[in-house]
Amino acid sequence: NYSNQIPITLDARWYNDLEFESKLPPYFRHRIVENHFFAQAMCFEPQLSRARIIMVKYFTILVILDDTFDRYASLPEAEGLANSLE
């Protein structure tokens, strides 16, 4: 369906404009398409395309934060970050 392709293009453009891959450590998982399909499953109606775009951006940032948290945080730092996010 062509209407489903447009949000992927917008998400990919946002991702490439911010140059996430060049600015992030190599452990970062490139998962924008997976995030898009997850958002597509939650908001599948055509009128919810803006919600899908926002959700993909949110989930991409969440994956970056989660990977950084898992890889580099010591226990006290992890607890401090978890408390601040609450």
Side-chain angles (χ1 to χ4, degrees), residues 24-48:
L24 295 174
Y27 68 88
F28 174 66
R29 298 169 287 175
H30 182 78
R31 296 178 127 195
I32 194 166
V33 175
E34 182 179 338
N35 290 338
H36 174 77
F37 284 115
F38 180 70
Q40 181 75 24
M42 294 177 67
C43 301
F44 54 87
E45 296 169 350
Q47 66 268 24
L48 298 176

Side-chain angles (χ1 to χ4, degrees), residues 1-20:
N1 188 347
Y2 183 71
S3 65
N4 292 336
Q5 186 177 3
I6 294 171
I8 291 176
T9 305
L10 293 173
D11 295 336
R13 190 177 320 142
W14 166 78
Y15 183 84
N16 290 331
D17 287 347
L18 292 178
E19 299 176 354
F20 273 143

Side-chain angles (χ1 to χ4, degrees), residues 37-76:
F37 284 115
F38 180 70
Q40 181 75 24
M42 294 177 67
C43 301
F44 54 87
E45 296 169 350
Q47 66 268 24
L48 298 176
S49 65
R50 173 75 69 187
R52 282 193 300 272
I53 292 168
I54 292 169
M55 288 175 67
V56 170
K57 290 178 181 183
Y58 172 76
F59 290 133
T60 301
I61 292 169
L62 189 62
V63 166
I64 294 168
L65 182 62
D66 181 58
D67 287 349
T68 303
F69 191 91
D70 291 342
R71 174 113 178 181
Y72 292 109
S74 65
L75 187 57

